[in-house]
Amino acid sequence: MSQLSEFEKQREANIAKNRALLAQLELKEAAAGLAFPATNPQTQKGAKPVQSSQTRKRRAAEPPAPRRQSSRLNKPVIDPNESPEQKRKREMEEEARRIQEEDERLEREERERAAKRPRHQNLDLSSLGDELSAQELISLTTTLEGCARAGQRENEARVFDFSASKKEEYQVTELKTQFANMKIVSRAKVTNERVYSSLYHPEKTKDLVFFGDKHGQLGIWDALAPQEEVEDENGDVMISDEGGKIFRLQPHWPATSKSSISCIKLDPLNTRNVFTSAYDCTLRSISFESGISRELFALDDVLISSFDVPPSGKELWISDAEGGLTHTDMRERKSRACRYQLANTKIGCVSVNPAHPEGLLVSSNNRTLTMWDARMLSKLPIDSLPTPPPSSPMGPRGRVASGPMDINSDAITDFLESKRGKGALMADWPHQKSVSSAYWDPSGTRIVSTCYDDTIRLWNVRWSAMTADKQVKVFEPFSRRHHNCQTGKWVTILKSQWNQNPEVYPHFTVGNMNHSLNVIAATGEVVASLTDRTRVTAVQAVTSSHPGIVARIASGNASGRCALWAPADSEA
């Protein structure tokens, strides 16, 4: 090695002096830059937090954006010495190319328009979960295969009856004890967008929760499932703070706010079938046995806000945003459905009495909660409807070939005022503002309503008294609770949801604007107020509870992040 010159020695001394000065000022990166880069020591591979595999795959699948090109430079160079024959040939080729490009443009635009329209055809799980790998689809199928096939009707005979056993005070105290040690045992971002609806599966061997979001996505969360080890493209171990396993399906289309999943229900006869409705004006079923999603019902440009399934599992009652309530039998053609115009504003919720399926609760934005007799509605005289003109696409009995038979509000009003229509409207409970929801409890004897006047109301209903005569009943609720329901634009509407467990004292859950979750007994007394200031920083607007296990509650917020609340010893 040659000896350094005086200039090089002076340079090295200056570098050492400057590096020492920068090191004192804690500018280590600048100090390292003064010398030639040294060989970095080999870093040890370790765990690092990463994004979900679905997000990485989606980004990897995105094609690079096309570069902008000058249209002037793209024009072909014309030979100034070309002959007339060559010119005609060139112009013919340019015209053929122009026609081809125009056809391709029109075809591309048609594909884009078709991609924005709702899907009415049957779809398999691979189409619904296009972001899931083959291994993840197998894992989803395996997760759902362990669920019992039998429906919820096996518990119908064991409906809780506190009057025959113990006093209400004792039962409420016992509930408080069961909910005393609740905490978040699992937490994950289950959907990509705001949670609109949820369903807790009755399977007792696992905590399986379905969440529907703003863009038509159905998130399936196995909340306490063990985490799988995953490596990234560099072979590094990935650690995710998401609890359980998450599977995301897209049953409703397009994947925009026009397809928000408004309601999720379980098939009463087969717990491997799930029903979903959305703002794409469709109601679909997903069978995890056959792996097929099919359309059960659809409306033309009318948003479906809610639906309910009677215990028979063969019919559907569907409410919409234009004040209609539709009845359809899944064993018949869709055109045999009948739509009743019961209100002049949105009907946000419909609930079927589980003990007396003819009792329908209808909550509307016209500030009323009404109860209708489904048997009487079916007797509405169709022949009294106005006859459509010959040029109308409607049939001789007012039936549209592509949609349900529509019975307008005038026909319903005339029917209610007639002798034959007495008893069709069983009860009418006025509220101060829009009624967000109203549901029957599992026994069919209690009603809870949630209203924008910041009040939760509770009624006790004796069916024999409701059917004793054909007069419209109006009576006050036995309990009123103040509850802030001013969710605004960015939070899902709060709805009180009964626990469907028939073996415990009736209670319901509802989100709280103070970032907590309330459990309230059928007496109107608060059983528990669940909160975790370190892990919950948003309103838990959507709630659901396990229908077979006490003290199991799932909640979701506006970012798609969901939490499972359970006793501390339940944590995986």
Side-chain angles (χ1 to χ4, degrees):
M1 181 176 178
S2 60
Q3 189 176 3
L4 296 177
S5 64
E6 292 297 329
F7 173 78
E8 291 174 336
K9 291 180 180 179
Q10 184 65 32
R11 178 174 176 273
E12 290 293 335
N14 290 338
I15 289 176
K17 180 179 178 181
N18 292 335
R19 291 181 62 183
L21 179 61
L22 292 174
Q24 292 178 359
L25 297 176
E26 298 184 353
L27 299 177
K28 297 181 180 180
E29 294 182 359
L34 290 176
F36 294 105
T39 303
N40 293 330
Q42 185 176 3
T43 57
Q44 182 179 3
K45 289 186 179 181
K48 57 182 181 180
V50 296
Q51 295 177 340
S52 65
S53 59
Q54 294 163 339
T55 303
R56 296 195 312 275
K57 287 187 291 185
R58 184 169 61 253
R59 290 183 176 178
E62 292 178 355
R67 294 185 177 181
R68 296 179 58 187
Q69 296 181 350
S70 170
S71 58
R72 178 180 62 83
L73 297 178
N74 286 338
K75 291 182 178 180
V77 179
I78 301 176
D79 186 2
N81 299 322
E82 67 178 353
S83 63
E85 182 178 354
Q86 292 175 335
K87 181 179 180 180
R88 286 194 300 271
K89 182 179 179 181
R90 177 177 57 80
E91 291 177 346
M92 291 176 60
E93 292 176 351
E94 290 178 354
E95 179 66 16
R97 186 165 55 251
R98 186 192 65 80
I99 294 174
Q100 182 181 359
E101 291 176 353
E102 180 68 13
D103 292 341
E104 292 176 353
R105 183 185 66 82
L106 294 175
E107 184 180 355
R108 184 170 60 253
E109 291 178 355
E110 178 60 28
R111 286 198 303 268
E112 292 175 355
R113 284 192 294 269
K116 296 179 181 179
R117 290 194 292 264
R119 298 183 290 190
H120 300 283
Q121 69 273 23
N122 290 350
L123 303 168
D124 56 19
L125 285 181
S126 60
S127 301
L128 299 179
D130 53 357
E131 294 182 2
L132 298 178
S133 64
Q135 183 178 359
E136 288 170 328
L137 285 174
I138 295 174
S139 179
L140 171 60
T141 305
T142 304
T143 299
L144 295 166
E145 276 180 354
C147 299
R149 188 183 189 279
Q152 298 170 307
R153 301 180 66 185
E154 59 184 1
N155 291 327
E156 286 182 359
R158 301 197 302 273
V159 174
F160 182 86
D161 184 6
F162 65 88
S163 61
S165 57
K166 303 174 183 178
K167 294 182 178 180
E168 286 187 356
E169 293 80 1
Y170 180 84
Q171 295 296 336
V172 173
T173 302
E174 187 175 351
L175 273 181
K176 290 182 179 179
T177 303
Q178 291 174 313
F179 283 93
N181 298 319
M182 296 276 285
K183 60 174 287 188
I184 295 179
V185 297
S186 185
R187 183 170 171 265
K189 185 173 175 60
V190 180
T191 61
N192 291 329
E193 301 294 334
R194 184 207 303 186
V195 175
Y196 265 58
S197 53
S198 69
L199 168 72
Y200 211 127
H201 197 278
E203 175 62 32
K204 294 185 178 182
T205 61
K206 61 185 70 177
D207 290 274
L208 198 61
V209 193
F210 296 78
F211 289 96
D213 82 347
K214 183 178 180 179
H215 287 185
Q217 186 180 84
L218 182 66
I220 305 174
W221 186 30
D222 191 356
L224 296 181
Q227 288 286 336
E228 296 181 353
E229 294 184 0
V230 184
E231 295 185 355
D232 63 6
E233 59 275 7
N234 298 324
D236 295 338
V237 178
M238 300 186 302
I239 296 179
S240 174
D241 59 351
E242 305 295 332
K245 292 182 181 179
I246 302 169
F247 309 95
R248 298 188 179 109
L249 305 179
Q250 189 73 41
H252 296 275
W253 195 260
T256 65
S257 58
K258 295 181 179 180
S259 299
S260 305
I261 297 182
S262 55
C263 190
I264 310 174
K265 296 286 184 181
L266 203 64
D267 187 341
L269 305 180
N270 185 355
T271 59
R272 295 179 185 176
N273 291 345
V274 176
F275 303 146
T276 59
S277 65
Y279 290 172
D280 64 352
C281 310
T282 66
L283 192 155
R284 302 186 67 92
S285 72
I286 304 177
S287 172
F288 293 103
E289 288 181 318
S290 62
I292 298 297
S293 170
R294 64 186 182 94
E295 182 181 279
L296 300 178
F297 182 76
L299 288 171
D300 293 333
D301 298 326
V302 179
L303 304 185
I304 296 177
S305 57
S306 177
F307 71 95
D308 203 1
V309 190
S312 65
K314 303 299 183 182
E315 304 169 79
L316 294 169
W317 286 95
I318 306 160
S319 65
D320 60 58
E322 294 188 2
L325 182 67
T326 303
H327 172 261
T328 182
D329 192 322
M330 289 183 280
R331 296 165 294 185
E332 298 180 345
R333 297 191 303 272
K334 299 176 185 178
S335 59
R336 298 293 298 273
C338 190
R339 181 177 180 272
Y340 305 92
Q341 190 70 39
L342 299 185
N344 54 5
T345 57
K346 173 185 176 181
I347 296 178
C349 182
V350 59
S351 179
V352 178
N353 190 307
H356 304 277
E358 63 272 19
L360 305 176
L361 282 180
V362 177
S363 51
S364 172
N365 284 8
N366 62 5
R367 304 185 178 187
T368 60
L369 168 62
T370 55
M371 183 166 69
W372 297 79
D373 190 332
R375 299 169 300 180
M376 297 296 294
L377 287 177
S378 63
K379 296 179 181 179
L380 198 146
I382 305 300
D383 294 336
S384 65
L385 300 178
T387 303
S391 59
S392 173
M394 304 176 72
R397 292 176 59 84
R399 187 183 303 279
V400 182
S402 60
M405 177 170 46
D406 202 344
I407 301 177
N408 59 38
S409 57
D410 293 336
I412 293 175
T413 302
D414 294 341
F415 178 63
L416 293 177
E417 293 175 351
S418 67
K419 185 176 181 180
R420 187 180 181 184
K422 295 295 183 181
L425 179 60
M426 302 178 68
D428 189 347
W429 294 290
H431 288 59
Q432 298 299 318
K433 290 187 178 180
S434 300
V435 186
S436 304
S437 66
Y439 294 103
W440 292 103
D441 77 330
S443 67
T445 59
R446 302 173 185 85
I447 299 172
V448 59
S449 73
T450 312
C451 181
Y452 254 103
D453 63 0
D454 294 339
T455 306
I456 295 177
R457 296 170 172 84
L458 285 163
W459 286 268
N460 279 332
V461 178
R462 288 190 302 113
W463 193 256
S464 58
M466 298 299 295
T467 57
D469 53 41
K470 295 186 177 182
Q471 300 299 320
V472 179
K473 310 298 187 299
V474 180
F475 52 92
E476 292 295 318
F478 75 86
S479 174
R480 296 172 183 259
R481 286 202 59 85
H482 176 77
H483 193 86
N484 185 3
C485 297
Q486 306 304 311
T487 54
K489 182 179 180 180
W490 307 110
V491 177
T492 304
I493 296 174
L494 303 183
K495 297 182 179 182
S496 302
Q497 301 278 357
W498 287 104
N499 179 278
Q500 297 299 315
N501 192 336
E503 298 180 339
V504 298
Y505 187 80
H507 59 281
F508 59 89
T509 60
V510 61
N512 193 300
M513 295 300 291
N514 296 326
H515 301 180
S516 62
L517 189 154
N518 296 130
V519 183
I520 304 176
T523 58
E525 184 178 352
V526 175
V527 172
S529 183
L530 308 181
T531 183
D532 188 337
R533 299 299 180 189
T534 60
R535 306 185 71 182
V536 175
T537 58
V539 177
Q540 303 298 293
V542 179
T543 66
S544 59
S545 51
H546 198 296
I549 303 177
V550 184
R552 285 284 202 286
I553 302 174
S555 61
N557 64 22
S559 68
R561 186 163 289 279
C562 305
L564 175 66
W565 305 78
D569 55 1
S570 302
E571 191 168 6

